[in-house]
């Protein structure tokens, strides 16, 4: 029952290259940074040996079993593995008995790894559920299917879900280089030379699957004889023989089926013939049943075209009958004709565009379906599929500028309408829509929401505590907090840095947004750090923020000492720059702590725009010249170039940030509120306190323009007009969003 036994290790040299090169530690693991990069919750849980039940979902070759091996090598818990294809109720019971025995005799936890967990039937999953629920075993499930409809809902609700994505080209190059250079497990002892175009071919056709890449590399090396110098030379021809055709991940009962047909239907409904042909080509190339496609088109002909073109149903039915008579491969013409007819409404005879799209599928690396086009019926809450999709019928003329192609193909043209017949009438409309889509893409006004890659069940106690804590802040602060996170758009797996966490406002909201990531809270001294830590004691240990006591100047070195290699997806802060004289330099330093795709969002009160006290009462109550000097004295507060709180305005900050090479967007929000003027507040305004606060008090500025008797007159007027009254007060906050260029 032990998957990772010593017998397996002893035969490593005879194992396939893909098995030999499996990472043994998290540092060797390549890819999936959203789940296991330094600072992420999963990595911290593995390193601290505090793992709770998890399910790894993703295509083959993305590292699900490898992560389980790494956990097995690092945990102090007893580790059991079973394969759902081969195991049944008997094996589940045996694993539970072992777990109970370990807990009773050795006080040891048990981790149960179930490979291909979706293969368990309902009764088998039900048999496992109570033991996961009561903590007898900690479940690690691995599945290539969507866990939200292939795994028992009760198991899903008690597990954190980590979606593993196909590896990028950079990751695959790193894996190939490791295999070629490792002298023990790879080919480091051999003289292997791989031509750049040969390696590029292997990486491209592997299509994000590390196992496929290593299998092809092994076949190329093992079947190529060394030359006279002992060099194994891998040419493009050898690479092409080793991995001849792209493996397309397409299960007719799984995610790829539902997501791709969803993207296809949305593209046809959205009157985008280019995207419609692309998704049609994806389905045909992957072996989807053409009759299923024609059935969906027949439905769409009535559902989304209807009486706008009564011939739509006639044409689709004629195409379906023609397909039944002709069959494949020539029947692809009829599929393309039905698709183009519905996508453009009038009949189209420009069918060769389909083969342009098919050629793109054959030549280009397979792209994932953009998240907003995926089927939202089953897992919108978990993975965010379908979020951000713009429903065309809700817009004027039943069309909206929206991208339906994958990111790397946006702007690609497959369909070229001719000027013949009815097609000539639609030519202008097609071109106009393409121009609108291109304009939206260039202006960055329409960006598809990112896909949610992790999920965890709601910890009710923690959520209640966070909600209660957040509800105690004022309406204005809550609004500022919401705006910050609206701009930052954090994901559940993100690592977030709050650079001014003394009040805790953004810290607790960050914890709600990133339950599978991590939150670092920067405070100015140990006393503030202790306050945050005491508040966080009600949260589970792994969910608590990491507090860092440092100034912003000290921050990079402090982080390097306590959290090396941690870079942040979002850096947020409220009034973080208030006491920084050179704000641009501090921002530039903070940007170095970001991930390449990270974002810095700050909410900075623009003190220059703060409510003036002299405007709170009627000017006619004072002598005109006295009122004029009062105003001049107060305005001097906001004109001090040596005071970092007032020595800047929005445009100053914008220009300074552009000068350090960042893309910056600053928006102003005005917040009207109410202020109760108490006797304590008046005393604070009219008491000298520079020695305590290191800043001149209001009365000290007045003394530069007014005599002592005049100050007494002003105070008396303040008391008559304002004391024990509520007055209107306005403040202005600049929301700064900076992205590294």
């Amino acid at each position: 029952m032990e998957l990772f036994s010593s017998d397996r290790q002893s035969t490593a040299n005879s194992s396939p290259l893909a098995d030999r090169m499996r990472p043994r530690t998290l540092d060797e693991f390549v890819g999936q940074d959203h789940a296991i990069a330094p600072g992420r919750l999963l990595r911290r849980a593995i390193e601290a040996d505090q793992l709770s039940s998890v399910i790894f979902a993703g295509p083959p070759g993305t590292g699900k079993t490898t992560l389980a091996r790494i956990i097995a090598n690092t945990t102090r818990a007893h580790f059991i593995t079973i394969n759902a294809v081969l195991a049944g109720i008997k094996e589940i019971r045996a694993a539970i008995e072992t777990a109970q025995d370990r807990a009773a005799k050795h006080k040891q936890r048990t981790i149960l790894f179930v490979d291909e967990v979706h293969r368990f039937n309902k009764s088998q999953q039900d048999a496992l559920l109570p033991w996961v629920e009561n903590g007898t075993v900690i479940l690690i499930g691995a599945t290539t299917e969507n866990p939200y409809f292939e795994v028992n809902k009760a198991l899903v609700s008690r597990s954190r879900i980590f979606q593993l994505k196909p590896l990028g080209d950079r990751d695959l190059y790193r894996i190939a280089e490791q295999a070629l250079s490792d002298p023990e497990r790879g080919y480091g002892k051999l003289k292997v030379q791989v031509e750049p175009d040969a390696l590029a071919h292997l990486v491209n056709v592997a299509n994000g699957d590390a196992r496929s890449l290593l299998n092809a590399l092994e076949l190329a090396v093992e079947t190529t004889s060394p030359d006279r110098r002992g060099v194994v030379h891998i040419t493009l021809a050898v690479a092409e023989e080793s991995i001849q055709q792209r493996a397309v991940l397409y299960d007719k009962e799984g995610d790829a089926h539902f997501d791709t047909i969803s993207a296809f239907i949305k593209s046809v409904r959205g009157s985008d013939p280019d995207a419609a042909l692309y998704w049609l080509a994806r389905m045909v190339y992957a072996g989807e049943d053409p009759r299923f496609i024609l059935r969906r088109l027949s439905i769409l002909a009535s559902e989304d075209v209807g009486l706008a073109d009564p011939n739509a149903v006639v044409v689709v039915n004629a195409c379906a009958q023609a397909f039944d008579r002709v069959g494949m491969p020539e029947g692809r013409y009829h599929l393309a004709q039905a698709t183009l007819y519905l996508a453009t409404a009038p009949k189209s005879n420009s069918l060769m565009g389909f083969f342009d799209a098919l050629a793109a599928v054959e030549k280009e690396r397979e792209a994932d379906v953009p998240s907003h086009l995926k089927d939202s019926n089953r897992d919108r809450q978990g993975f965010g599929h379908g979020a951000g999709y713009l429903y065309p019928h809700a817009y004027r003329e039943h069309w909206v500028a929206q991208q339906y192609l994958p990111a790397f193909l946006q702007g690609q043209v497959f369909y070229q309408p001719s000027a013949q017949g009815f097609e000539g009438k639609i030519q202008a409309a097609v071109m106009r829509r393409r121009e609108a889509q291109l304009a939206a893409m260039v202006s960055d006004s329409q960006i598809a929401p990112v896909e949610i890659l992790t999920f965890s069940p709601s910890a009710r106690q923690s959520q209640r505590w966070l909600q209660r804590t957040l509800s105690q802040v004022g309406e204005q602060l809550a609004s500022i907090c919401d705006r910050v996170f609206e701009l930052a758009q954090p994901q559940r797996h993100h690592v977030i840095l709050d650079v001014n966490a003394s009040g805790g406002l953004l810290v607790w909201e960050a914890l709600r947004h990133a339950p599978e990531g991590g939150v670092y809270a920067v405070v100015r001294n140990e006393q503030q750090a202790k306050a945050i830590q005491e508040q966080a004691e009600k949260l589970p240990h792994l969910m608590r923020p990491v507090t860092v006591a440092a100034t912003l100047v000290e921050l990079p070195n402090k982080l390097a000492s306590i959290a090396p290699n941690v870079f942040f997806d979002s850096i947020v802060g409220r009034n973080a720059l208030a006491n920084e004289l050179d704000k641009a330099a501090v921002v530039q330093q903070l940007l170095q702590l970001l991930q390449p795709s990270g974002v810095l969002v700050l909410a900075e009160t623009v003190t220059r725009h703060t409510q003036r006290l002299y405007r709170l009462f009627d000017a006619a109550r004072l002598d005109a010249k006295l009122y004029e000097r009062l105003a001049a004295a107060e305005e001097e507060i906001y004109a001090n170039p040596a005071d970092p709180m007032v020595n800047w305005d929005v445009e100053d900050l914008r220009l300074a940030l552009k000068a350090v090479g960042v893309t910056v967007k600053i928006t102003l929000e005005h917040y009207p509120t109410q202020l109760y003027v108490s006797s304590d507040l008046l005393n604070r305004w009219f008491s000298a306190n520079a020695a305590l606060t290191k800043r001149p008090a209001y009365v000290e500025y007045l003394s530069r323009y007014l005599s002592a008797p005049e100050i007494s007159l002003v105070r008396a007027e303040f008391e008559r007009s304002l004391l024990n009254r509520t007055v209107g007060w306005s403040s202005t906050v600049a929301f700064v969003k900076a992205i590294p260029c």
Side-chain angles (χ1 to χ4, degrees):
M1 193 174 289
E2 295 291 342
L3 176 66
F4 315 127
S5 64
S6 58
D7 291 338
R8 191 180 182 91
Q9 300 291 339
S10 66
T11 61
N13 290 333
S14 61
S15 301
L17 178 65
D19 189 62
R20 301 200 305 270
M21 290 304 300
R22 283 189 189 274
R24 297 160 295 188
T25 65
L26 288 174
D27 290 334
E28 291 181 0
F29 195 92
V30 176
Q32 313 303 343
D33 285 349
H34 67 275
I36 62 164
R40 309 282 188 210
L41 177 76
L42 179 59
R43 188 186 187 100
R44 289 186 283 118
I46 293 172
E47 291 175 339
D49 198 10
Q50 295 185 13
L51 195 70
S52 58
S53 292
V54 297
I55 295 176
F56 298 136
T62 53
K64 301 182 295 296
T65 303
T66 297
L67 271 177
R69 285 188 175 217
I70 291 173
I71 293 169
N73 291 335
T74 57
T75 184
R76 292 185 295 275
H78 183 58
F79 201 96
I80 301 174
T81 183
I82 56 179
N83 189 298
V85 175
L86 305 174
I89 297 291
K90 178 182 177 181
E91 285 75 15
I92 294 175
R93 288 175 177 169
I96 298 305
E97 290 175 3
T98 301
Q100 292 173 326
D101 185 63
R102 288 276 181 171
K105 294 181 179 179
H106 307 287
K107 306 296 183 185
Q108 186 181 27
R109 299 181 307 148
T110 295
I111 295 176
L112 176 62
F113 173 56
V114 182
D115 200 9
E116 300 189 75
V117 65
H118 62 278
R119 299 289 187 180
F120 272 158
N121 59 36
K122 185 178 185 301
S123 62
Q124 291 168 328
Q125 293 186 34
D126 287 343
L128 185 59
L129 176 62
W131 310 110
V132 173
E133 192 168 24
N134 66 21
T136 300
V137 294
I138 296 169
L139 173 68
I140 299 179
T143 175
T144 56
E145 301 298 328
N146 190 322
Y148 289 98
F149 65 95
E150 291 293 344
V151 179
N152 186 312
K153 290 183 179 179
L155 280 178
V156 169
S157 69
R158 288 159 177 78
S159 306
R160 292 186 184 271
I161 309 296
F162 291 92
Q163 188 180 12
L164 306 189
K165 305 295 288 182
L167 299 178
D169 287 356
R170 182 180 300 178
D171 297 329
L172 293 178
Y173 274 108
R174 284 182 57 193
I175 290 170
E177 290 167 1
Q178 288 177 354
L180 292 171
S181 60
D182 191 309
E184 300 298 327
R185 299 181 295 159
Y187 295 119
K189 292 181 179 180
L190 300 179
K191 297 178 180 179
V192 180
Q193 290 184 359
V194 184
E195 293 182 357
D197 54 353
L199 185 56
H201 176 77
L202 294 176
V203 167
N204 177 49
V205 182
N207 199 33
D209 186 334
R211 186 185 298 109
S212 176
L213 171 70
L214 292 174
N215 287 342
L217 183 62
E218 181 179 29
L219 181 62
V221 173
E222 299 292 348
T223 59
T224 302
S225 301
D227 60 17
R228 288 178 298 176
R229 296 178 294 125
V231 176
V232 177
H233 197 68
I234 308 300
T235 63
L236 176 59
V238 173
E240 288 175 340
E241 291 179 356
S242 300
I243 185 168
Q244 296 180 356
Q245 186 173 1
R246 182 187 314 281
V248 177
L249 178 66
Y250 197 92
D251 185 341
K252 294 183 183 180
E253 300 298 327
D255 263 8
H257 166 80
F258 287 104
D259 289 336
T260 309
I261 192 64
S262 172
F264 173 63
I265 294 299
K266 289 175 180 176
S267 300
V268 176
R269 180 191 296 138
S271 300
D272 189 328
D274 302 316
L277 285 177
Y278 174 77
W279 297 118
L280 175 63
R282 277 274 288 266
M283 290 187 289
V284 170
Y285 185 78
E288 181 61 84
D289 182 1
R291 291 173 179 81
F292 166 74
I293 300 172
L294 286 166
R295 284 197 300 272
R296 293 301 302 266
L297 288 175
S298 181
I299 296 168
L300 188 143
S302 292
E303 181 182 0
D304 290 298
V305 178
L307 294 181
D309 184 348
N311 285 326
V313 173
V314 176
V315 171
V316 172
N317 283 336
C319 288
Q321 291 173 5
F323 178 86
D324 285 338
R325 184 177 302 170
V326 174
M328 293 291 271
E330 289 84 358
R332 290 180 293 182
Y333 284 99
H334 306 101
L335 279 169
Q337 182 175 347
T339 297
L340 284 176
Y341 191 93
L342 295 181
T344 61
K347 182 178 179 180
S348 172
N349 60 1
S350 187
L351 303 181
M352 293 305 296
F354 168 68
F355 294 98
D356 294 336
L358 185 58
V361 175
E362 293 171 342
K363 294 177 182 178
E364 300 291 343
R365 182 178 183 273
E366 182 185 354
D368 193 22
V369 176
S371 182
H372 70 295
L373 298 183
K374 289 186 176 180
D375 180 22
S376 62
N377 292 323
R378 298 158 297 127
D379 49 23
R380 183 185 183 94
Q381 295 299 319
F383 288 155
H385 291 175
Y389 167 62
L390 304 178
Y391 188 60
H393 294 309
Y395 292 84
R396 186 178 179 182
E397 298 182 0
H398 300 262
W399 182 84
V400 60
Q402 179 172 219
Q403 294 299 334
Y404 296 95
L405 283 167
F408 79 99
L409 279 176
Q410 287 179 9
Q412 176 72 47
V413 173
F414 296 118
Y415 173 54
Q416 294 283 9
S418 71
Q420 303 300 316
F422 277 152
E423 199 166 36
K425 297 179 181 180
I426 66 172
Q427 186 181 46
V430 171
M431 300 305 293
R432 185 178 70 250
R433 287 169 179 160
R434 281 178 180 157
E435 290 170 0
Q437 286 180 317
L438 183 62
M441 181 177 66
V442 172
S443 66
D444 201 29
S445 63
Q446 181 236 129
I447 300 175
V450 294
E451 188 172 13
I452 299 171
L453 298 178
T454 62
F455 165 80
S456 62
S458 176
R460 294 182 180 178
Q461 184 175 356
S462 299
Q463 287 295 318
R464 283 199 300 268
W465 184 87
L466 287 171
Q467 289 280 12
R468 187 169 59 252
T469 302
L470 290 167
S471 67
Q472 294 170 355
V473 304
E475 183 178 344
Q476 178 179 327
L477 292 180
S479 176
I480 292 173
C481 179
D482 291 343
R483 183 72 173 128
V484 166
F485 285 96
E486 178 186 337
L487 291 170
Q489 290 290 302
Q491 295 296 296
R492 297 175 64 88
H493 61 276
H494 278 183
V495 181
I496 303 173
L497 175 68
D498 180 358
V499 290
N500 187 18
S502 55
L505 173 69
L506 301 183
V507 172
W508 312 126
E509 188 66 25
L511 288 172
R512 292 206 320 147
H513 278 278
E516 282 90 39
V519 176
Y520 286 69
V522 180
V523 292
R524 296 296 179 262
N525 52 57
E526 293 295 339
Q527 183 178 359
Q528 293 177 349
K530 185 177 179 181
I532 292 287
Q533 291 164 356
E534 288 177 349
Q535 283 183 280
E537 284 181 355
K538 295 185 180 295
L539 296 173
H541 180 75
L542 284 176
M543 193 176 177
R544 297 173 190 171
V546 179
T547 54
V548 184
T551 65
L552 295 188
V553 174
E554 301 168 341
L555 182 59
N557 290 335
K558 195 68 175 285
L559 283 174
S561 64
I562 66 172
N565 302 319
V566 173
F567 292 91
F568 300 95
D569 301 282
S570 302
I571 297 179
V572 299
R574 174 175 169 267
N575 291 336
L577 304 179
N579 295 311
E580 303 296 335
L581 192 60
D582 190 346
K583 293 175 172 54
V586 172
V587 169
Q588 188 176 32
Q589 190 170 329
L590 291 176
L591 291 173
Q592 296 174 1
L593 302 174
L594 280 175
Q595 297 274 14
S597 59
V599 61
L600 169 70
V601 178
L602 302 174
E604 297 293 321
T605 300
V606 187
T607 311
R608 276 193 185 180
H609 298 184
T610 296
Q611 174 71 51
R612 303 304 197 252
L613 299 184
Y614 68 83
R615 294 175 183 162
L616 293 176
F617 60 84
D618 187 357
R621 288 183 167 275
L622 290 177
D623 175 77
K625 291 186 177 180
L626 175 58
Y627 186 84
E628 184 179 335
R629 283 186 288 124
L630 170 64
E634 190 170 343
E635 291 297 340
E636 186 179 313
I637 299 173
Y638 305 96
N640 183 0
D643 186 347
M645 291 190 68
V646 300
N647 70 346
W648 66 282
D649 208 337
V650 175
E651 193 58 29
D652 302 322
L653 186 59
R654 192 193 316 275
L655 293 175
L657 295 183
K658 283 187 176 181
V660 299
V662 299
T663 300
V664 60
K665 182 177 181 180
I666 302 178
T667 55
L668 286 181
E669 298 283 350
H670 301 284
Y671 292 93
T673 186
Q674 300 293 312
L675 176 70
Y676 178 73
V677 182
S678 64
S679 57
D680 287 341
L681 182 58
L682 272 176
N683 288 334
R684 193 156 67 245
W685 288 344
F686 286 92
S687 298
N689 59 357
L692 297 175
T693 65
K694 298 181 181 180
R695 294 176 57 83
Y698 179 69
V699 69
E700 291 172 289
Y701 278 100
L702 298 188
S703 65
R704 300 174 188 177
Y705 286 76
L706 280 62
S707 65
E710 289 174 326
I711 292 175
S712 297
L713 284 174
V714 170
R715 175 165 184 162
E717 186 53 46
F718 269 70
E719 291 176 348
R720 279 193 299 271
S721 301
L722 306 177
L723 184 60
N724 296 326
R725 295 184 183 179
T726 299
V727 297
W729 189 272
S730 66
S731 59
T732 300
V733 176
F735 291 93
V736 181
K737 182 175 182 179
I739 301 173
C741 292

